[in-house]
């Protein structure tokens, strides 16, 4: 049996390794267009920024390693030009000699990855304009920094690469501006959580420009759509990627609705004996079963292993994705898993949403705020998605939530999880527990929540809602919600007659605890429609303030 793999980064090398483990007799040949193989793409921004000193640590396995360990022949600088599915042949070009030749396969695995997707910007062909997709790109950018010592940079795009390079270039000593064409950062968060994260970045002095684009790149500056100039000795285009499907299309392989290669759960394509894996394929949501394109290193390794197993007679199959992802910027971490609020609504779920702000560990161990947004289905009471922003322990919590969603946990089960506790790393009731308590109270114990977004929209529409600030007077006077009336929780029982029990009430405090206590008082005194503001005043201010500022500007 002869297996040919096209591509030798994450998915391709995972496929060849699994195929060899299953079958010692198979002939396995890999063709890779580039010179470097099996490198850690996720580590490239940190090498550029100086956090990783040695480039070799990102490329620990070379051609010789795979030859000795797996008896696999990897031919670098070899580009596959065409595939003939009927003859089971590929046309290959040796990029060093320009020699072209034909090779035959019994099974073919496409691991062609993704390519950068660029906007059309005048001047983008200049030598100080870069994208970061490959290891060679990282080496080139690093060399530019060392040779020309740029002082300023502009990053176009605010996805994972854009944010990681923001930190990397600032760490390298540059003054950096991040330019994003959309209303929010492009890291897969709901608008409220994206605004919350933006607040934290702005507090750190990050230069962030949204809802604008670059019209032209010049030698030492860029020109925005409104004519504004930004100093830019270096420009990085981090505007996303698209699946590299050129070979697949030419070979008549079916593409999915996302534009990536359509595969089944065993990585089979529409053409006989041809499989695909990694960033070039379309996967599917574990929750909705709908197609999705979510290129990640973890998914590439997983699907590569499945492809290598199946071509050698194995029975592995893909179980679907939750889109679990994480990015760290400075000392902040942002993560998500499962469906976003918008995705869940589009899928037809009736949602219960809570925002929880709790310390990531004991305050006497310098615990810092961890913001969690959780989305559940009211009908089944199962978790659908979670987004988290914080400093320490974000990865721990998001992995717990990903596991819970995978195995269909209902919200009432979260409180009963026996999670590890020590004051250096957690609180006695973990933020995960608090999420479960809030959702369980809302769904099963008559303690409904109202999100800041819903409250803002209903107030904007002129709905009569009694908004009650339950904090102490000094906090209320310093900052409070629009139309809020001050009634401290300690005074509430004595002031019940001043409220209309037939009119909706929303209680709030700083983060939700005292607001919930006030909500209990009102409900126990016969008020029928009482909500606690999800996440409290802090959540409202950091998620809705951008909307209010925009609205005020329009009104002015």
């Amino acid at each position: 049996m002869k297996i040919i793999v096209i591509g030798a980064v994450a998915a391709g090398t995972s496929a060849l390794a699994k195929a060899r483990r299953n079958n010692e007799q198979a002939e396995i040949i890999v063709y890779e267009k580039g010179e470097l193989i099996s490198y850690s793409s996720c580590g490239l921004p940190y090498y550029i920024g100086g956090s990783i000193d040695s480039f070799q640590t990102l490329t620990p396995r070379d051609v010789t390693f795979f030859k000795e360990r797996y008896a696999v022949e990897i031919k670098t600088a070899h580009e596959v030009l065409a595939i003939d599915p009927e003859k089971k042949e590929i046309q290959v070009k040796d990029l060093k000699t320009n020699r072209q030749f034909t090779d035959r396969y019994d099974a073919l695995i496409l691991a062609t990855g993704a390519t950068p997707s660029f906007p059309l910007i005048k001047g983008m062909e200049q030598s100080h304009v870069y994208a970061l997709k490959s290891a060679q790109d990282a080496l080139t950018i690093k060399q530019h920094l060392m040779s020309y010592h740029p002082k300023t940079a502009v990053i176009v795009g605010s996805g994972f690469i854009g944010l990681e390079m923001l930190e990397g270039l600032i760490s390298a000593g540059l003054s950096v501006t991040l330019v994003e064409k959309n209303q929010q950062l492009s890291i897969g968060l709901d608008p409220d959580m994206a605004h919350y994260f933006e607040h934290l970045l702005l507090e750190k002095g990050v230069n962030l420009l949204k809802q604008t684009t670059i019209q032209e790149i010049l030698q030492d500056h860029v020109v925005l759509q409104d004519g504004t100039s930004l100093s830019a000795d270096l420009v990085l285009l981090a505007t996303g990627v698209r699946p590299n499907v050129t070979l697949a299309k030419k070979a008549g392989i079916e593409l999915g609705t996302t534009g990536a290669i359509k595969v089944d759960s065993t990585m089979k394509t529409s053409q006989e004996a041809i499989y695909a894996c990694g960033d070039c394929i379309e996967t599917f949501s574990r929750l909705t079963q709908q197609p999705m394109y979510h290129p990640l290193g973890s998914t590439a390794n997983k699907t590569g292993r499945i492809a290598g197993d199946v071509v050698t007679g194995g029975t592995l199959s893909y179980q679907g994705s939750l889109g679990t992802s994480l990015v760290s910027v400075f000392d902040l971490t942002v993560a998500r898993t499962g469906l976003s609020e918008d995705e869940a609504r589009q899928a037809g779920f009736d949602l219960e949403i809570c925002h929880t702000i709790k310390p990531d560990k004991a305050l006497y161990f310098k615990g810092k705020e961890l913001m969690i947004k959780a989305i559940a289905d009211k009908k089944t009471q199962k978790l659908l998605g979670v987004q988290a922003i914080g400093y320490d322990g974000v990865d721990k919590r998001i992995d717990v939530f990903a596991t819970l969603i995978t195995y269909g946990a209902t919200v009432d089960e979260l409180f009963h999880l026996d999670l590890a506790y020590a004051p250096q790393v957690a609180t006695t009731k973990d933020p995960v527990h608090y999420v479960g308590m809030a959702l369980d109270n809302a769904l099963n114990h008559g303690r409904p929540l109202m999100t800041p977004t819903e409250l803002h929209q209903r107030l904007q529409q002129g709905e009569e809602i009694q908004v009650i600030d339950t904090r102490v007077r000094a906090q209320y006077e310093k900052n409070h919600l629009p139309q809020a009336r001050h009634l401290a929780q300690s005074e509430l029982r004595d002031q019940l007659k001043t409220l209309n029990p037939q009119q909706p009430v929303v209680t709030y405090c700083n983060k939700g605890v005292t607001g919930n206590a006030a909500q209990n008082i009102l409900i126990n005194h016969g008020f029928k429609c009482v909500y606690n503001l999800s996440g409290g005043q802090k959540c409202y201010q950091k998620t809705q303030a951008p909307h209010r500022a925009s609205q005020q500007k329009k009104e002015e």
Side-chain angles (χ1 to χ4, degrees), residues 186-335:
S186 302
I187 49 176
L189 298 179
D190 286 322
D192 53 358
M193 293 296 279
H195 289 316
Y196 186 91
F197 182 50
E198 289 164 20
H199 269 285
L200 298 179
L201 289 178
L202 292 173
E203 288 172 359
K204 292 182 176 294
V206 170
N207 297 320
L208 172 61
L209 297 178
K210 297 187 299 178
Q211 293 182 272
T212 189
T213 57
I214 292 178
Q215 295 300 299
E216 184 175 5
I217 302 173
L218 299 168
Q219 186 174 1
D220 60 358
H221 68 281
V222 301
V223 180
L224 302 180
Q225 63 182 18
D226 63 358
T228 303
S229 292
L230 296 176
S231 178
D233 301 324
L234 183 148
V235 177
L236 180 80
L237 301 179
T239 48
V241 298
R242 63 178 185 275
N244 187 352
V245 296
T246 304
L247 266 179
K249 287 177 66 176
K250 287 167 59 177
I253 295 172
E254 184 180 356
L255 304 184
T257 58
T258 67
I261 298 172
K262 185 176 182 179
V263 295
D264 66 11
S265 62
T266 64
M267 303 300 119
K268 293 179 182 177
T269 72
S270 61
Q271 292 284 11
E272 182 184 357
I274 299 180
Y275 302 76
C277 54
D279 289 355
C280 63
I281 69 166
E282 176 180 272
T283 57
F284 63 92
S285 167
R286 188 182 183 98
L287 290 169
T288 69
Q289 304 300 304
Q290 294 302 304
M292 63 187 294
Y293 181 64
H294 201 86
L296 288 170
S298 54
T299 305
N301 277 276
K302 189 181 299 179
T303 55
R305 184 172 188 268
I306 293 170
D309 182 66
V310 172
V311 300
T312 49
T315 59
L316 286 177
S317 63
Y318 191 67
Q319 304 299 308
S321 173
L322 294 178
T324 307
S325 54
L326 179 149
V327 62
S328 291
V329 187
F330 307 113
D331 55 348
L332 287 165
T333 301
V334 181

Side-chain angles (χ1 to χ4, degrees), residues 53-355:
D53 295 328
S54 172
F55 183 76
Q56 281 65 42
T57 60
L58 300 177
T59 56
R61 301 177 181 88
D62 58 11
V63 171
T64 302
F65 171 88
F66 284 99
K67 180 71 173 178
E68 295 175 350
R69 176 68 65 88
Y70 296 105
V72 170
E73 189 74 27
I74 298 182
K75 297 181 181 294
T76 59
H78 280 67
E79 181 180 6
V80 177
L81 302 176
I83 302 168
D84 188 332
E86 292 187 4
K87 295 181 179 180
K88 293 188 176 181
E89 291 179 347
I90 61 172
Q91 189 70 24
V92 186
K93 180 180 181 179
D94 184 333
L95 298 178
K96 292 183 177 178
T97 66
N98 288 324
R99 180 177 72 92
Q100 294 190 23
F101 59 93
T102 298
D103 202 353
R104 189 184 180 284
Y105 62 85
D106 295 305
L108 178 66
I109 300 176
L110 302 181
T112 50
T115 56
S117 177
F118 298 130
L120 293 177
I121 303 175
K122 184 178 180 181
M124 61 183 290
E125 73 287 347
Q126 296 178 78
S127 61
H128 68 300
V129 182
Y130 297 98
L132 177 60
K133 183 61 180 71
S134 68
Q136 186 57 54
D137 293 335
L139 288 171
T140 303
I141 296 171
K142 185 75 168 183
Q143 185 59 49
H144 183 100
L145 295 177
M146 296 172 64
S147 299
Y148 297 100
H149 307 289
K151 302 297 183 184
T152 58
V154 168
I155 298 175
V156 185
S158 63
F160 285 9
I161 292 296
L163 289 174
E164 289 168 349
M165 282 301 298
L166 172 71
E167 179 180 3
L169 292 178
I170 289 176
S171 298
L174 282 73
S175 174
V176 186
T177 301
L178 189 66
V179 177
E180 169 57 52
K181 70 175 182 178
N182 296 313
Q183 294 182 358
Q184 67 178 70
L185 300 177
S186 302
I187 49 176
L189 298 179
D190 286 322
D192 53 358
M193 293 296 279
H195 289 316
Y196 186 91
F197 182 50
E198 289 164 20
H199 269 285
L200 298 179
L201 289 178
L202 292 173
E203 288 172 359
K204 292 182 176 294
V206 170
N207 297 320
L208 172 61
L209 297 178
K210 297 187 299 178
Q211 293 182 272
T212 189
T213 57
I214 292 178
Q215 295 300 299
E216 184 175 5
I217 302 173
L218 299 168
Q219 186 174 1
D220 60 358
H221 68 281
V222 301
V223 180
L224 302 180
Q225 63 182 18
D226 63 358
T228 303
S229 292
L230 296 176
S231 178
D233 301 324
L234 183 148
V235 177
L236 180 80
L237 301 179
T239 48
V241 298
R242 63 178 185 275
N244 187 352
V245 296
T246 304
L247 266 179
K249 287 177 66 176
K250 287 167 59 177
I253 295 172
E254 184 180 356
L255 304 184
T257 58
T258 67
I261 298 172
K262 185 176 182 179
V263 295
D264 66 11
S265 62
T266 64
M267 303 300 119
K268 293 179 182 177
T269 72
S270 61
Q271 292 284 11
E272 182 184 357
I274 299 180
Y275 302 76
C277 54
D279 289 355
C280 63
I281 69 166
E282 176 180 272
T283 57
F284 63 92
S285 167
R286 188 182 183 98
L287 290 169
T288 69
Q289 304 300 304
Q290 294 302 304
M292 63 187 294
Y293 181 64
H294 201 86
L296 288 170
S298 54
T299 305
N301 277 276
K302 189 181 299 179
T303 55
R305 184 172 188 268
I306 293 170
D309 182 66
V310 172
V311 300
T312 49
T315 59
L316 286 177
S317 63
Y318 191 67
Q319 304 299 308
S321 173
L322 294 178
T324 307
S325 54
L326 179 149
V327 62
S328 291
V329 187
F330 307 113
D331 55 348
L332 287 165
T333 301
V334 181
R336 63 158 289 179
T337 187
L339 302 178
S340 68
E341 180 180 347
D342 185 56
E343 290 168 343
R345 292 194 190 282
Q346 289 184 12
F349 292 104
D350 186 12
L351 305 184
E352 187 66 54
I353 299 170
C354 81
H355 300 77

Side-chain angles (χ1 to χ4, degrees), residues 530-544:
V530 186
Y531 300 88
N532 186 24
L533 181 63
S534 181
Q537 156 87 357
K538 179 160 285 190
C539 182
Y540 188 97
Q541 291 297 333
K542 288 192 174 183
T543 62
Q544 301 307 304

Side-chain angles (χ1 to χ4, degrees), residues 519-539:
Q519 179 187 36
N520 289 329
I521 292 172
L522 293 175
I523 290 174
N524 288 329
H525 280 83
F527 284 71
K528 301 299 183 184
C529 187
V530 186
Y531 300 88
N532 186 24
L533 181 63
S534 181
Q537 156 87 357
K538 179 160 285 190
C539 182

